[in-house]
Structures are given as structure tokens and as C-alpha cells.
Amino acid sequence: MSPASPSAAATRLGLAATLLLPTAFFLGACSVIGGETCDGTKDELKRLAAQPLLDAAPARATAPSNYRGVAITTGCDDGSSGQPWLHADRLYAYPGTIEEVIKHYSEEAKAAGWQFEHDPSPDAAPVAVEGACWTRTEKDRHLLLNVDTRVEAYSPRPEADGGIGYEVSIGTTRDGNNDDNEATCWH
């Protein structure tokens, strides 16, 4: 087989550009129509990761044995509509009970000016099953602090070495306000 001639290569390149440009335009238009993106959120993610309550674990809490060295992770969940969700998260293993963990974070959050939010659903599970959530406004940004005991979906599942695993997360919408009640503890 002989190499393609310059004119054949140019024809294929032109055809590829003709086919790809409408696709790129369409995908870009979907982002504009669907809502904001995660572009430009790096500084806010750094600010979330610096929140003191992510490091305010109870005594004897450690990183799960299979997550050593991970510390705080950040992310931006860019949905197809509405505001992207920015968050900073940390996994812990604790050799006590989840009730002790919730009590600890309740005290720490209250001292830092966070407001506890009860789940208004009459069918709500106890905080020892579902976790707990607090809110506050800082620098015109509505924040949620969540202690979640449901870590089974992680891959790999956090190994707690005989204790419990839990996640601490602090999040906010990209614009930081709560005008549409997008950033609430309980949906």
C-alpha cells in the first residue's frame, strides 16, 4: 500500500473538520443551554478544602487503612442543568460509634457557627443511620457541612479496621447562593 497523496490527505482532513465542527458547536451549545460549568472553580475548591472542620475529626479517628495519604479531595459535579456542586471531602475511620462522631461534629460545628438542620421528613432515618448536616453563610456563600455514614458505595470501600467509616464533606453551589434552594441538607 502506498502512502496517501497530499491532495487525498487534505481531502480527508477537510472532511473530518466538516464533520467535527458541527458536533463541537452542538456540544458547546448544550453547556450554555444546560447551565454553568465547572470552569474557573479552582480557587473556590481550594477555599473549601481549607475549611477547618474537614480536619476536626474526633480523637482516634484516622484515614481508612486503604486510603492512607489521601487526605482531602475536591470536586465539581457539573450537572446538565442548574448550578454545579463544588465540594471538599475527607474519609475517616473511627474505632467508636457513629453517635460519638455525630456528637463530636455537633459540638465542633456549633462552636464554628454552623446551624444544625433536622431532616423534616416524618420518615427520616436517625442521624446514626443517615448522617447529619449543618449550614452556614461565609463570605456571601451558602455552605453545607455533611457527616455521612453511608460509605458503602465507595470503590474501594473504606476499611475501618473494626470501627466505622464516615465522610465529612463541605459543599456549595458554584455561585454560592441558595436562591433556588439548590443547596439544602434535605431534598
Side-chain angles (χ1 to χ4, degrees):
M1 180 171 217
S2 64
S5 69
S7 62
T11 302
R12 281 197 297 265
L13 182 61
L15 179 60
T18 303
L19 293 173
L20 290 176
L21 283 176
T23 303
F25 174 77
F26 177 74
L27 291 175
C30 286
S31 293
V32 171
I33 292 169
E36 295 188 38
T37 67
C38 291
D39 294 341
T41 58
K42 181 179 169 184
D43 289 341
E44 185 56 33
L45 289 172
K46 283 182 183 178
R47 203 177 99 181
L48 287 174
Q51 288 285 323
L53 286 177
L54 292 170
D55 292 322
R60 302 182 299 140
T62 62
S65 59
N66 59 334
Y67 278 81
R68 300 253 193 259
V70 173
I72 296 169
T73 59
T74 60
C76 180
D77 302 333
D78 185 4
S80 61
S81 64
Q83 290 286 321
W85 183 251
L86 285 63
H87 53 93
D89 315 292
R90 188 160 192 182
L91 286 171
Y92 285 100
Y94 181 69
T97 67
I98 194 60
E99 290 85 2
E100 293 169 342
V101 170
I102 298 297
K103 181 178 186 265
H104 171 80
Y105 282 99
S106 293
E107 292 167 358
E108 293 288 322
K110 184 177 181 180
W114 292 81
Q115 302 297 313
F116 180 76
E117 285 197 11
H118 291 279
D119 187 340
S121 170
D123 301 323
V127 294
V129 172
E130 192 170 62
C133 186
W134 298 263
T135 61
R136 76 179 265 177
T137 301
E138 179 183 285
K139 297 182 182 179
D140 296 325
R141 185 169 282 283
H142 183 75
L143 301 172
L144 268 64
L145 164 66
N146 188 33
V147 175
D148 195 345
T149 61
R150 299 164 294 179
V151 294
E152 297 82 22
Y154 273 84
S155 180
R157 184 177 180 182
E159 294 174 2
D161 295 334
I164 59 166
Y166 70 94
E167 176 188 48
V168 178
S169 179
I170 296 178
T172 186
T173 57
R174 180 191 168 118
D175 68 4
N177 70 46
N178 197 28
D179 293 341
D180 299 326
N181 290 321
E182 291 178 355
T184 60
C185 287
W186 313 108
H187 300 279

